[in-house]
């Protein structure tokens, strides 16, 4: 088994190659630096010029390299050159030399003073200590007549490792030859991370045990998980990198619309919160909005926004998706998203309390105003929004809501996020034009596990087979009645789970827009039949981990698809 080291992942991607360490840094031992040897008074001016000369040479070399680069690389090189000429740092060193220090000892002592200050300031300043140490070592090498320290030119594609990398080390790296950066120190905003991002190569920082990896040792670097596999199986590692590259290209090139490999259309939609997020979502390959969480637009409001104010906000979203599908959800206030103007009652258990559509029990006018505002926004716009209510538990609630919505000439739907509504999906669907399954809450309520609880994260996993069974029966009810059944919870953002949902009979998938390309690309790789077989495999599992593995095996083609009559019947209804 390969040894595995862990660190903080800062730039995603996968790379495999031999470890490459930067060349030796100059020896900092007191003898080499001339610590304790006092420079005679008449030699101190020359010693100071030796120091300033070395610092100027280092600065001009760095500036020269800055001029040969562009963008962030040029900026960080110029900033490092600036450090080599920093008046404070040079002044501190000259002050020490004036007291008898050698130029070398002064370079080290002045750097220590500044590094202590930077470290104390913390944050970005602390991360500049590496840059300052790099300048120190370059100046020392210059003073000692040694070659400039830094990264050797790799002979084959390699993984560059270091305690930390300074901009001058990393600037001008060829991403075809340096395929990943891994450091023992550093944080997400260190120069190592900045440069890796610019080069588009994976990067992991703060890896413990890194110093034990010898140059030339093959390593597999996963910039998404932060795992470094030392001496992995060669063939497996190469296959994983090739597969990752192929998939990344596929995702980057996916531009919609959502369709399976055999041509079944599945709308890939965006979840948005207001006009700004809707305008940003348009940059992703989404076909419309599957969930506009209206309550998020009013979290700061002490008073209920007027109908006109609301209409203006809703119109922004409709305008961003002109001519496309937009599903607006009425206020899901309460529980983890209380709204001040709703004046929620004090409740011992707000997740099971007056939340979502239930606020209309005490405040019917809030729902009336909102539906009036949505109708006003729709007037004159070229989107006919679909409107749905959150937290519907019964067919009667669905019928009441649908009457209000249809009374305004709008398309009416409800969310299925309460198990009772999923169980009576046939009766709920009979009252509305569509449903959208909120898997976040459906999982919370099915598993009786607070979605906010980190301790219960294993229970609130959307791959829970019990939740998938409920989704299957809702989708079957939708097929029976020829009505759309979407999913707008986080489950729709997981590419393999999205395929399982399609296999269960779901007709659209809505999630954070950033997830859309990966979901769409995955759908394009698999047939509807494979989705059904993956759904069957997940339904047959007894826990989320088994469901994940079983579905992946079918979707990746390593297991023959088999669909039992139950899913075939449900899916073809
Ligand atoms: C859900 O519950 O899955 C959902 C989409 O609604 P929210 O996350 O806003 O509660
Ligand atoms: Mg919900």
């Amino acid at each position: 088994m390969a040894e595995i080291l862990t660190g903080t992942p800062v730039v995603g991607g996968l790379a495999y190659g031999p470890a490459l360490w930067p060349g030796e840094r100059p020896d900092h031992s007191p003898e080499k630096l001339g610590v304790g040897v006092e420079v005679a008074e008449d030699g101190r001016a020359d010693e100071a010029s030796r120091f300033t000369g070395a610092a100027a040479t280092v600065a001009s070399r760095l500036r020269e390299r800055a001029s040969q680069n562009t963008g962030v690389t040029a900026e960080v090189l110029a900033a490092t050159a600036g450090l080599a000429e920093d008046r404070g740092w040079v002044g501190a060193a000259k002050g020490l030399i004036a007291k008898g220090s050698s130029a070398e000892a002064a370079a080290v002592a002045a750097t220590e003073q500044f590094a202590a200050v930077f470290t104390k300031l913390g944050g970005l300043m602390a991360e500049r200590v590496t840059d300052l140490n790099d300048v120190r070592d370059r100046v020392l090498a210059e003073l000692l007549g040694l070659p400039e320290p830094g990264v050797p030119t790799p002979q084959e594609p390699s993984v560059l490792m270091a305690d930390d990398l300074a901009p001058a080390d990393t600037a001008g790296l060829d991403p075809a030859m340096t395929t990943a950066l891994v450091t023992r120190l550093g944080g997400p905003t260190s120069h190592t991370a900045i440069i890796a991002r610019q080069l588009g190569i994976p990067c992991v920082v703060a890896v413990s045990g890194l110093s034990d990896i010898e140059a030339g040792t093959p390593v597999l670097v996963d910039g998404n998980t932060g795992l470094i596999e030392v001496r992995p199986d060669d063939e497996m590692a190469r296959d994983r990198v090739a597969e990752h590259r192929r998939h990344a290209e596929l995702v980057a090139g996916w531009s919609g619309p959502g369709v399976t490999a055999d041509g079944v259309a599945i709308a890939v939609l965006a979840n948005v919160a207001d006009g700004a997020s809707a305008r940003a979502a348009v940059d992703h390959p989404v076909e419309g909005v599957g969930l506009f969480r209206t309550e998020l637009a009013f979290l700061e409001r002490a008073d209920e926004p007027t109908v006109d104010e609301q209409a203006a906000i809703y119109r922004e979203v409709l305008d961003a998706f002109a001519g496309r599908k937009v599903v607006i959800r009425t206020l899901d206030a309460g529980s983890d998203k209380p709204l001040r103007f709703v004046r929620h009652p004090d409740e011992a258990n707000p997740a099971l309390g007056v939340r979502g559509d239930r606020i209309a029990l005490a405040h019917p006018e809030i729902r009336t105003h909102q539906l009036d505002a949505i109708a006003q926004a729709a007037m004159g716009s070229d989107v006919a929004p679909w409107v749905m209510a959150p937290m519907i538990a019964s067919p009667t609630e669905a019928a009441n809501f649908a009457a209000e919505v249809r009374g305004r000439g709008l398309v009416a739907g409800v969310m299925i996020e309460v198990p009772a509504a999923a169980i009576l999906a046939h009766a709920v669907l009979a009252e509305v034009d569509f449903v959208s399954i909120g898997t976040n809450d459906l999982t919370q309520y099915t598993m009786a596990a607070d979605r906010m609880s980190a301790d219960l994260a294993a229970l609130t996993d959307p791959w829970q087979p019990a939740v998938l069974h409920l989704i299957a029966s809702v989708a079957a009810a939708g097929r029976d009645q020829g009505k759309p059944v979407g999913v707008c919870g986080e489950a729709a953002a997981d590419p393999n789970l999205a395929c399982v949902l399609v296999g269960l009979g779901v007709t659209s998938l809505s999630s954070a827009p950033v997830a859309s390309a990966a979901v769409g690309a995955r759908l394009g790789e698999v047939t509807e039949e494979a989705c059904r077989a993956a759904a069957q495999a997940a339904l047959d599992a007894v826990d989320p981990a088994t469901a994940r593995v079983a579905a992946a095996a079918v979707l990746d083609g390593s297991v023959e698809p088999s669909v039992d009559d139950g899913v075939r019947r449900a899916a073809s209804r």
Side-chain angles (χ1 to χ4, degrees):
M1 264 271 287
E3 184 195 348
I4 295 184
L5 306 180
T6 42
T8 307
V10 288
V11 184
L14 212 60
Y16 175 57
L20 180 77
W21 287 89
E24 290 280 299
R25 296 259 153 199
D27 187 347
H28 290 193
S29 63
E31 315 79 74
K32 283 276 178 221
L33 301 178
V35 172
V37 180
E38 193 173 318
V39 177
E41 232 175 301
D42 61 356
R44 290 178 191 170
D46 284 352
E47 196 65 4
S49 331
R50 214 161 69 76
F51 175 82
T52 48
T57 305
V58 167
S60 80
R61 262 194 220 127
L62 289 168
R63 203 161 288 113
E64 168 75 18
R65 285 175 58 193
S67 70
Q68 289 159 1
N69 281 280
T70 54
V72 180
T73 306
E75 276 167 33
V76 293
L77 280 169
T80 312
L83 279 178
E85 288 177 324
D86 180 79
R87 281 190 18 217
W89 182 68
V90 172
K94 280 166 74 180
L96 292 163
I97 294 169
K99 289 187 192 139
S101 225
S102 70
E104 291 84 353
V108 171
T111 304
E112 271 165 16
Q113 283 173 20
F114 275 72
V117 175
F118 283 10
T119 306
K120 214 164 170 187
L121 289 171
L124 285 176
M125 288 310 283
E127 289 182 2
R128 297 291 90 90
V129 170
T130 299
D131 310 349
L132 195 59
N133 286 340
D134 178 62
V135 164
R136 171 204 61 200
D137 287 345
R138 284 170 197 278
V139 171
L140 274 183
E142 186 62 27
L143 287 166
L144 297 167
L146 299 171
E148 201 175 4
V151 178
T153 307
Q155 299 306 304
E156 60 182 308
S158 303
V159 172
L160 180 56
M161 299 195 163
D163 273 358
D164 204 353
L165 286 161
D169 287 326
T170 47
L173 287 181
D174 174 1
M177 294 304 276
T178 302
T179 55
L181 302 184
V182 181
T183 60
R184 190 175 65 81
L185 308 170
T189 56
S190 61
H191 271 136
T192 305
I194 295 169
I195 297 283
R197 222 166 265 128
Q198 200 197 22
L199 291 171
I201 57 177
C203 176
V204 182
V205 299
V207 181
S208 50
L210 193 68
S211 324
D212 298 337
I213 298 182
E214 283 173 16
T217 309
V219 289
L220 178 65
V221 179
D222 189 332
N224 299 313
T225 60
L227 298 183
I228 317 291
E229 279 185 53
V230 185
R231 287 191 201 82
D233 177 75
D234 186 67
E235 199 183 322
M236 176 279 294
R238 285 180 198 283
D239 284 355
R240 274 186 59 194
V241 171
E243 173 55 23
H244 176 83
R245 195 164 299 143
R246 189 194 66 78
H247 191 253
E249 279 164 15
L250 197 71
V251 170
W254 193 79
S255 57
V259 60
T260 61
D262 53 340
V264 177
I266 304 293
V268 175
L269 306 165
N271 292 353
V272 304
D274 52 20
S277 63
R279 286 186 290 275
V282 175
D283 293 337
H284 296 271
V286 292
E287 290 154 61
V289 171
L291 169 63
F292 172 11
R293 290 182 163 103
T294 53
E295 68 281 357
L296 298 185
F298 305 118
L299 290 177
E300 305 302 324
R301 300 291 300 239
D303 303 312
E304 186 189 353
T306 64
V307 168
D308 285 350
E309 279 177 278
Q310 290 190 50
I313 291 170
Y314 305 151
R315 184 61 185 257
E316 281 187 49
V317 174
L318 300 186
D319 286 348
F321 279 87
R324 299 199 242 171
K325 174 172 174 170
V326 175
V327 183
I328 303 180
R329 177 174 77 183
T330 50
L331 297 174
D332 184 21
S335 189
D336 53 333
K337 293 172 286 190
L339 289 181
R340 278 195 282 165
F341 63 82
V342 170
R343 292 177 302 282
H344 298 283
D346 235 357
E347 297 173 304
N349 204 343
L352 300 181
V354 184
R355 174 192 168 182
D357 193 57
R358 298 170 182 185
I359 62 173
L361 292 171
H363 300 290
E365 75 289 353
I366 294 183
R367 188 171 79 181
T368 306
H369 294 158
Q370 185 172 27
L371 293 177
D372 287 345
I374 294 171
Q376 186 173 316
M379 230 179 321
S381 122
D382 60 359
V383 177
W386 294 14
V387 186
M388 65 181 181
M391 280 296 284
I392 290 295
S394 71
T396 309
E397 287 174 1
N400 289 341
F401 180 76
E404 292 270 341
V405 173
R406 289 180 180 142
R408 290 167 175 82
L410 300 167
V411 179
V414 295
M415 289 191 71
I416 302 285
E417 35 188 7
V418 176
I423 292 165
L424 290 192
H426 272 97
V428 170
L429 264 157
E431 304 294 347
V432 293
D433 305 313
F434 72 97
V435 296
S436 183
I437 304 173
T439 47
N440 308 334
D441 277 315
L442 185 60
T443 308
Q444 151 163 277
Y445 296 126
T446 303
M447 303 307 296
D450 187 342
R451 64 193 265 189
M452 308 296 281
S453 165
D455 294 339
L456 302 180
L459 283 175
T460 49
D461 187 322
W463 280 88
Q464 283 289 355
V467 179
L468 299 179
H469 277 272
L470 285 179
I471 295 172
S473 75
V474 177
R479 290 221 181 209
D480 272 351
Q481 299 178 33
K483 292 180 180 173
V485 174
V487 166
C488 61
E490 281 316 295
D494 174 332
N496 275 2
L497 187 47
C499 297
V500 165
L501 296 172
V502 168
L504 293 173
V506 162
T507 55
S508 67
L509 299 160
S510 189
S511 66
V514 288
S516 57
V519 166
R522 187 62 167 146
L523 281 178
E525 287 181 309
V526 295
T527 61
E528 189 185 30
E529 184 71 5
C531 291
R532 284 186 195 156
Q536 181 65 59
L539 288 174
D540 288 344
V542 290
D543 58 52
T546 318
R548 264 192 186 86
V549 172
V554 175
L555 294 168
D556 292 340
S558 57
V559 164
E560 263 310 292
S562 97
V563 181
D564 89 358
D565 281 353
V567 169
R568 203 184 290 281
R569 262 199 317 277
S572 60
R573 265 187 274 193

